[in-house]
Amino acid sequence: MLQIRNLTITHTKDLRTILKDFTFALNPGDKAVIIGEEGNGKSTLLKLIYDASLVSGYVEYTGSVFTGNDTLGYLPQELSPETKSLTVYEYCQRLPSFFDRSPKDLSAIAAPLGLSADLFYSDQRIGTLSGGEKVKLMLACLLIERPDILLLDEPSNDLDLDTLIWLETFINTCGLPVLYISHDETLIEKTANVVIHLEQLRRKTEPHHTIARVPYAQYAAERKHRLAHQEQVARKEREEYNKQQEKFRQIMQKVEYQQSTITRQNPHGAALLKKKMKSIKSQERRFDKEYESMTEIPETEDAIFIKFSENASVPNSKKVLDYALDELRIEDEGSSRLLARNIRLRVTGPEKICIIGKNGTGKSTLIKRIAAELLTRTDIHAAYMPQNYEELLDFSVTPPEFLATTGDKEELTRIRTYLGSMKYTADEMDHLACDLSGGQKAKLLLLKMSYDGCNVLILDEPTRNFSPLSGPVIREVLRNYRGTIISISHDRKYMEEVCNTCYELTQEGLCLQI
């Protein structure tokens, strides 16, 4: 059993406490999801539970984590450069139980994931696998080790739809307690029976956590109702307060006027006015205390504000893309590998296109080529969000520096205001991009697109790093966007709510999905 007692985690860089007095027990049968906005410490918590040395360089903690004799299996969100440089076989050799497993065992583990058992012996470098293939391999290696408890950091990232459905079944039927982080709302709705919600309130100065042993849909609905009621009460209190303040100001102005006009010949009246003013000042102090004790207006994910200009649009008749490619190939270990053939894609006007397909079929390779063509066009203003943010995001600069074009003081002030609307704190604005969470990096790229007035967006897994609570806000922004979107996604809610056309990439090209 996993038991956590009175855990408090503090960032050493800015001394911000991200978790305070957290106590939790993961029981048999629990499928507990950790949710929260980007940068709230979800991955840090999971790493600390697995191995405190993974976070020792940037946080300090008090409290205890107890696992007894149970073995933890941990799936990281990101692989280290050293791991990516290994071949698959070299990586598997490092697993203590790998050589204890028979070929039949390995096949039984690989098959449901859509992997060949031969992959375990492959000389292909892990860094050359697709994003989904990496996740599948890591999941397979976890199963080889037979853990007692699973800690999964974004296990659904980059998985194709078939494997997502397998993952849902696996979490529900594996018989192990699972503590996981995910931004896939559909996965969470179908698997989680415990919700751990990490929040940072008062402009990220006050950590707060909620543990609810209910399904996610129930938690989200109850939270929405509670926050709506809290906001209604808070606004009513402020309305009454403002009415009181107006009456109070009128009385004070009247007394101040009377004091300024009373003559010395009326000392009795002056004494009465002085006494009355003292009473008014006392009442003013009481009003100040009442204001401090008012119900707070809740901080919700709706506070994330990003808006594309109405000018960032594409006319209905505009031909945005007429793309033809006889063969899609990728260079793999010095040889050329055919991924797909006869690819044709035509996009007109403000269409919102989504490309799906099994892992390793070349979706990211294809969209990168499409981006290369569209980014050179002068009749449109295109922007590209890659799956690997480092391809575009300079990790050695701060968010304002990344967004700036002129770098003058007025522009930087405007940019900092803009970042504040996306719930960046002043400290986070001064962090290097490499120190930001995945979701914060994604926000930064979307902000750049908005700030630059782009009317064509090429997006590779745009929602993969947004929390299930801020995801709906981002989807609404993209749904209302008046430009063109060409995207890759396995996010079922994104496909349903944002996209109006969906294609599957197969070896025979792009097939329209009905």
Side-chain angles (χ1 to χ4, degrees), residues 214-279:
V214 297
Y216 174 75
Q218 180 180 339
Y219 172 75
E222 291 176 351
R223 177 177 183 266
K224 183 178 180 180
H225 176 75
R226 174 174 53 80
L227 293 180
H229 176 70
Q230 180 181 334
E231 182 172 0
Q232 183 180 26
V233 170
R235 296 195 182 282
K236 182 67 174 176
E237 288 178 357
R238 280 155 180 75
E239 183 181 334
E240 292 298 323
Y241 175 81
N242 290 335
K243 288 180 181 178
Q244 288 179 338
Q245 285 292 293
E246 182 59 32
K247 290 180 181 178
F248 176 75
R249 280 191 293 270
Q250 291 175 3
I251 294 171
M252 177 172 277
Q253 288 171 0
K254 183 177 180 180
V255 174
E256 287 176 341
Y257 174 76
Q258 289 173 342
Q259 281 185 319
S260 66
T261 57
I262 197 166
T263 64
R264 292 182 179 180
Q265 285 74 27
N266 187 5
H268 179 68
L272 288 175
L273 286 175
K274 185 176 180 180
K275 185 177 181 181
K276 191 170 185 179
M277 179 56 77
K278 184 178 180 181
S279 175

Side-chain angles (χ1 to χ4, degrees), residues 1-4 49-50 64-72 148-149 151:
M1 178 186 292
L2 171 64
Q3 290 186 328
I4 303 168
I49 292 170
Y50 177 68
S64 62
V65 177
F66 178 75
T67 59
N69 295 321
D70 287 338
T71 301
L72 302 180
D148 301 303
I149 296 172
L151 308 177

Side-chain angles (χ1 to χ4, degrees), residues 7-20 39-63 65 198 200 431 435:
L7 185 64
T8 295
I9 306 174
T10 303
H11 269 296
T12 53
K13 184 172 183 178
D14 54 20
L15 301 181
R16 179 167 64 94
T17 300
I18 58 175
L19 191 64
K20 186 175 181 180
N40 278 6
K42 302 183 295 295
S43 292
T44 298
L45 172 60
L46 211 61
K47 288 177 183 176
L48 191 153
I49 292 170
Y50 177 68
D51 181 357
S53 68
L54 295 176
V55 298
S56 60
Y58 64 95
V59 299
E60 295 177 346
Y61 75 96
T62 59
V65 177
L198 306 185
Q200 292 283 317
H431 287 178
D435 295 328

Side-chain angles (χ1 to χ4, degrees), residues 96-374:
S97 301
F98 180 66
F99 292 107
D100 296 333
R101 292 298 194 116
S102 68
K104 184 177 180 181
D105 292 336
L106 296 177
S107 294
I109 291 170
L113 285 162
L115 298 176
S116 167
D118 293 338
L119 178 64
F120 297 120
Y121 303 95
S122 171
D123 290 331
Q124 184 175 356
R125 302 213 173 271
I126 290 177
T128 66
L129 298 173
S130 72
E133 287 172 325
K134 291 188 188 82
V135 174
K136 288 180 179 181
L137 177 64
M138 297 302 108
L139 282 171
C141 290
L142 278 186
L143 297 178
I144 289 173
E145 289 302 291
R146 294 190 179 100
D148 301 303
I149 296 172
L150 290 176
L151 308 177
L152 310 177
D153 194 347
E154 293 293 351
S156 57
N157 265 4
D158 308 321
L159 294 183
D160 57 45
L161 294 177
D162 289 343
T163 311
L164 277 173
I165 293 171
W166 173 87
L167 180 62
E168 291 168 1
T169 303
F170 171 76
I171 290 175
N172 285 327
T173 61
C174 67
L176 302 175
V178 182
L179 179 62
Y180 69 102
I181 300 167
S182 180
H183 295 148
D184 188 317
E185 291 169 65
T186 305
L187 175 76
I188 295 171
E189 288 171 354
K190 292 185 176 182
T191 58
N193 56 19
V194 182
V195 178
I196 301 171
H197 187 184
L198 306 185
E199 297 178 272
Q200 292 283 317
L201 307 178
R202 296 180 182 271
R203 297 295 296 171
K204 297 190 178 181
T205 61
E206 182 180 300
H208 181 266
H209 65 268
T210 303
I211 300 173
R213 292 189 173 276
V214 297
Y216 174 75
Q218 180 180 339
Y219 172 75
E222 291 176 351
R223 177 177 183 266
K224 183 178 180 180
H225 176 75
R226 174 174 53 80
L227 293 180
H229 176 70
Q230 180 181 334
E231 182 172 0
Q232 183 180 26
V233 170
R235 296 195 182 282
K236 182 67 174 176
E237 288 178 357
R238 280 155 180 75
E239 183 181 334
E240 292 298 323
Y241 175 81
N242 290 335
K243 288 180 181 178
Q244 288 179 338
Q245 285 292 293
E246 182 59 32
K247 290 180 181 178
F248 176 75
R249 280 191 293 270
Q250 291 175 3
I251 294 171
M252 177 172 277
Q253 288 171 0
K254 183 177 180 180
V255 174
E256 287 176 341
Y257 174 76
Q258 289 173 342
Q259 281 185 319
S260 66
T261 57
I262 197 166
T263 64
R264 292 182 179 180
Q265 285 74 27
N266 187 5
H268 179 68
L272 288 175
L273 286 175
K274 185 176 180 180
K275 185 177 181 181
K276 191 170 185 179
M277 179 56 77
K278 184 178 180 181
S279 175
I280 289 172
K281 291 293 185 182
S282 176
Q283 190 176 16
E284 183 178 31
R285 289 191 293 271
R286 181 168 59 83
F287 281 151
D288 289 341
K289 289 182 179 180
E290 287 180 1
Y291 185 81
E292 291 174 1
S293 63
M294 278 186 186
T295 303
E296 291 185 13
I297 295 177
E299 296 181 33
T300 67
E301 291 69 23
D302 293 339
I304 298 173
F305 179 79
I306 180 173
K307 184 178 182 181
F308 286 90
S309 167
E310 292 189 0
N311 294 327
S313 60
V314 176
N316 290 335
S317 59
K318 174 72 175 178
K319 183 174 74 173
V320 175
L321 181 68
D322 192 358
Y323 189 78
L325 185 65
D326 291 336
E327 289 187 341
L328 178 65
R329 290 183 172 272
I330 187 172
E331 296 299 319
D332 185 7
E333 296 293 324
S335 62
S336 178
R337 181 160 59 96
L338 178 65
L339 299 174
R341 58 170 64 90
N342 299 323
I343 295 173
R344 302 290 182 271
L345 180 61
R346 181 181 175 87
V347 181
T348 304
E351 284 190 84
K352 295 180 174 64
I353 304 295
C354 183
I355 299 173
I356 64 171
K358 293 186 179 300
N359 294 128
T361 55
K363 300 183 297 299
S364 292
T365 302
L366 173 62
I367 204 169
K368 190 176 295 186
R369 295 193 182 188
I370 291 172
E373 179 175 311
L374 294 180

Side-chain angles (χ1 to χ4, degrees), residues 69-87:
N69 295 321
D70 287 338
T71 301
L72 302 180
Y74 172 61
L75 178 77
Q77 185 179 146
E78 299 286 347
L79 295 176
S80 68
E82 188 267 340
T83 300
K84 290 180 182 178
S85 69
L86 297 173
T87 67

